Amino acid sequence: MRDRLTDSLYGLGWSAVKKLPEPAAVRLGRTIADTVWKRRGKGVLRLESNLARVVPDATPERLAELSKAGMRSYMRYWMESFRLPTWDQERARSSFDPKDVHHLTEGLDRGKGVILALPHLANWDVAGIWVTRALGVPFTTVAERLKPESLYDRFVAYRESLGMEVLPHTGGTAFGTLARRLRDGGLVCLVADRDLSASGTEVEFFGATARMPAGPALLAQQTGALLLPVTLWYDETPVMRGRVHPAIEVPESGTRAEKTSQMTQALADAFAGGIAEHPEDWHMLQRLWLADLEERPA
């Protein structure tokens, strides 16, 4: 029953929100965000706890301000995402203004593939539709399997409608397919700031240990593709901003594990810089640091 309700609510969002006039959708998103924030549920409290690590000198009042702005940013993500399939070419081009895109375009011109790695900042789907429609470059990504299965199918269909190839995170075949796309000179985009599996690579992140996926670094080593961090943020305009950072180089020496650790740490450092500049746009409502995971009962 809970799974059916969850799927129905998301279905309602995609069918109803995209039909609203944009000002009404913006107001609705802000109203929902403020209501959820006032209830001080687990997600809001976890967001504040995470933000306390990002802004360690923040007062309780400042953390409350950041978490409220964070929930508004998070709901902006959802309102935009529900409406993205209705965007025409011009809207897709004009809704994102990234800096230093030459790192991406020049990397693609090399013909050896490019990996874009992003944290949960602002709206990575807006960035994705800009890549497919403004640059005319298709790409492959990975989606975590959700429950119920019908909800996962909705997300896959949604992202494929935006021009993305979507692979399931589970099943063991995603890495090989991503490597083939890169060897063919293609583009792979991965959200890569959280990995709680045993295979995650430990990094220092805002002064404490967290795990991040090893996949981006391993793919770069195995295929010769460029690994480019990307950070995103909102401002007071309808246009999302972003930056493509310089490539993370594969170390010249060391074992594969050592190289992976160094590259993933460099990725974490790039993410941390973008998150520190725009903490309210980091949509991390789950546990991330190992010390926080240890608080849970076995």
Side-chain angles (χ1 to χ4, degrees):
M1 179 66 72
R2 182 177 179 180
D3 286 349
R4 288 199 297 271
L5 177 60
T6 300
D7 182 55
S8 298
L9 288 173
Y10 277 100
L12 179 63
W14 265 298
S15 63
V17 173
K18 67 183 180 182
K19 297 177 182 178
L20 291 174
E22 186 153 345
V26 170
R27 288 194 300 271
L28 175 62
R30 180 160 292 198
T31 299
I32 294 173
D34 291 351
T35 301
V36 172
W37 179 79
K38 289 177 182 177
R39 290 179 177 174
R40 311 290 293 163
K42 290 182 179 180
V44 173
L45 295 177
R46 175 50 50 190
L47 177 62
E48 281 191 12
S49 176
N50 291 338
L51 289 171
R53 291 190 183 272
V54 175
V55 191
D57 58 348
T59 64
E61 292 77 16
R62 175 60 178 153
L63 283 177
E65 291 174 358
L66 281 174
S67 67
K68 184 175 184 179
M71 291 308 299
R72 288 183 173 185
S73 175
Y74 186 46
M75 288 312 302
R76 175 173 172 176
Y77 163 84
W78 281 111
M79 292 299 108
E80 287 177 342
S81 296
F82 287 143
R83 297 170 63 82
L84 274 180
T86 68
W87 285 12
D88 59 21
Q89 193 86 351
E90 179 54 34
R91 180 66 190 276
R93 288 173 178 268
S94 63
S95 292
F96 182 40
D97 180 26
K99 300 179 180 179
D100 299 327
V101 180
H102 67 276
H103 292 306
L104 169 57
T105 55
E106 291 170 4
L108 290 171
D109 289 343
R110 291 170 63 246
K112 295 184 178 181
V114 172
I115 306 155
L116 296 181
L118 308 86
H120 287 81
L121 273 171
N123 194 329
W124 44 98
D125 286 334
V126 168
I129 196 174
W130 184 88
V131 167
T132 60
R133 297 190 182 176
L135 294 185
V137 177
F139 66 86
T140 304
T141 189
V142 173
E144 181 180 358
R145 282 201 175 276
L146 303 171
K147 292 183 180 180
E149 190 74 14
S150 57
L151 180 58
Y152 172 77
D153 292 339
R154 284 185 189 274
F155 272 95
V156 170
Y158 153 66
R159 289 197 166 104
E160 288 181 343
S161 75
L162 304 179
M164 312 175 191
E165 179 188 21
V166 182
L167 306 176
H169 184 269
T170 55
T173 61
F175 188 91
T177 303
L178 294 174
R180 287 193 295 273
R181 300 293 183 268
L182 292 168
R183 290 193 184 99
D184 291 338
L187 176 63
V188 165
C189 300
L190 301 170
V191 180
D193 58 344
R194 185 173 184 262
D195 187 344
L196 303 183
S197 70
S199 60
T201 299
E202 291 192 3
V203 296
E204 286 299 305
F205 196 53
F206 291 104
T209 303
R211 287 197 192 105
M212 292 189 180
L218 289 171
L219 284 167
Q221 292 175 62
Q222 185 164 316
T223 66
L226 283 186
L227 174 55
L228 302 177
V230 177
T231 52
L232 310 170
W233 66 92
Y234 291 129
D235 57 19
E236 298 304 316
T237 73
V239 179
M240 187 178 73
R241 313 295 173 176
R243 175 177 290 109
V244 182
H245 296 260
I248 293 174
E249 302 292 342
V250 177
E252 295 183 359
S253 61
T255 64
R256 184 172 73 163
E258 290 169 343
K259 292 178 180 180
T260 300
S261 178
Q262 292 179 49
M263 295 174 72
T264 307
Q265 183 62 61
L267 198 61
D269 293 342
F271 290 168
I275 293 166
E277 290 179 0
H278 306 280
E280 68 278 5
D281 290 324
W282 190 38
H283 306 153
M284 187 55 65
L285 280 70
Q286 301 86 24
R287 297 173 189 265
L288 176 69
W289 284 274
L290 300 191
D292 294 335
L293 294 173
E294 292 166 0
E295 294 175 3
R296 295 187 296 184

